[in-house]
Amino acid sequence: QPGVQVAMPLDDHTLASLDGWGRWIEKLELKPDGDRLVPSVVYSETHGMDPWFANELRIGDRLYAFEHRMLRGFDLRTGKALFRVPIPQEYRSSTLCDGLFYLRNYHGDMGLGAPSETGLEILSTFSPGKRREEAATFPAVAGGRLYLRDQERLRCYDVRTPEFKESPPAWAIASRVRP
């Protein structure tokens, strides 16, 4: 269908297709046909989703989608809506790390949330400081550090817990510089 916003692999032969403009979720099965894969629709469900940002997070068969000051939950096995609950801020960009949601609003303010079967619990919030323009970039978490970028700065925050263990370098040429 036209206007696919996100194609999310579910396993080796299926994917979820999310379209904010069309406001639907489809599950597609990819079947081999000679040297190509042919998609067939397993389900197609219409839902109201935010058309502007690809701001969905997946945990297992559950999809969490942020829409203005609401959080929506969907079952990716069936495409059915599970919940729609209010959240305290309009988070427009997010990332998932270690089972927690790192959430960012247009002002750059951050929230840390724990997803549940019925919604989201905001565990903490902070504001990284004033900026002249809206912050629409997604937070990134790597090596126990949270990276936030806006139009002028890149900020780094240590979010390691006492249980954090440094991973071995992925490449033999990894830097020996440690923060």
Side-chain angles (χ1 to χ4, degrees), residues 85-172:
V85 295
I87 54 177
Q89 293 190 43
E90 183 175 357
Y91 293 110
R92 300 296 290 181
S93 58
S94 60
T95 195
L96 170 65
C97 183
D98 296 330
L100 297 173
F101 292 170
Y102 289 79
L103 309 164
R104 194 172 194 197
N105 69 16
Y106 270 146
H107 305 292
D109 299 330
M110 291 295 302
L112 181 66
S116 70
E117 297 288 315
T118 58
L120 180 72
E121 177 188 0
I122 301 297
L123 303 174
S124 66
T125 61
F126 79 95
S127 179
K130 303 251 184 227
R131 66 204 34 77
R132 285 184 270 169
E133 297 182 25
E134 292 179 340
T137 58
F138 284 72
V141 180
R145 291 166 183 84
L146 169 65
Y147 296 91
L148 301 176
R149 181 183 65 82
D150 60 27
Q151 302 299 326
E152 299 172 350
R153 293 182 180 87
L154 173 64
R155 293 181 167 101
C156 178
Y157 298 89
D158 189 338
V159 294
R160 294 176 289 184
T161 63
E163 298 83 28
F164 180 82
K165 297 202 179 6
E166 189 79 37
S167 298
W171 302 93

Side-chain angles (χ1 to χ4, degrees), residues 4-141:
V4 171
Q5 184 177 8
V6 175
M8 183 180 295
L10 300 176
D11 60 37
D12 288 344
H13 303 288
T14 59
L15 63 90
S17 175
L18 314 172
D19 184 342
W21 291 110
R23 306 178 81 68
W24 47 256
I25 298 176
E26 285 186 336
K27 183 176 183 179
L28 304 174
E29 184 175 11
L30 305 174
K31 297 179 183 176
D33 182 15
D35 61 348
R36 62 191 193 119
L37 294 173
V38 177
S40 63
V41 177
V42 176
Y43 66 71
S44 183
E45 294 286 333
T46 302
H47 300 289
M49 293 187 296
D50 190 342
W52 293 104
F53 278 58
N55 197 22
E56 297 85 20
L57 297 172
R58 175 184 172 200
I59 298 178
D61 290 324
R62 179 153 303 179
L63 180 72
Y64 295 84
F66 296 88
E67 179 183 61
H68 306 292
R69 288 182 174 251
M70 303 298 285
L71 174 68
R72 301 185 62 159
F74 301 96
D75 184 335
L76 288 172
R77 294 170 297 184
T78 64
K80 302 292 184 200
L82 299 172
F83 59 81
R84 185 172 188 250
V85 295
I87 54 177
Q89 293 190 43
E90 183 175 357
Y91 293 110
R92 300 296 290 181
S93 58
S94 60
T95 195
L96 170 65
C97 183
D98 296 330
L100 297 173
F101 292 170
Y102 289 79
L103 309 164
R104 194 172 194 197
N105 69 16
Y106 270 146
H107 305 292
D109 299 330
M110 291 295 302
L112 181 66
S116 70
E117 297 288 315
T118 58
L120 180 72
E121 177 188 0
I122 301 297
L123 303 174
S124 66
T125 61
F126 79 95
S127 179
K130 303 251 184 227
R131 66 204 34 77
R132 285 184 270 169
E133 297 182 25
E134 292 179 340
T137 58
F138 284 72
V141 180

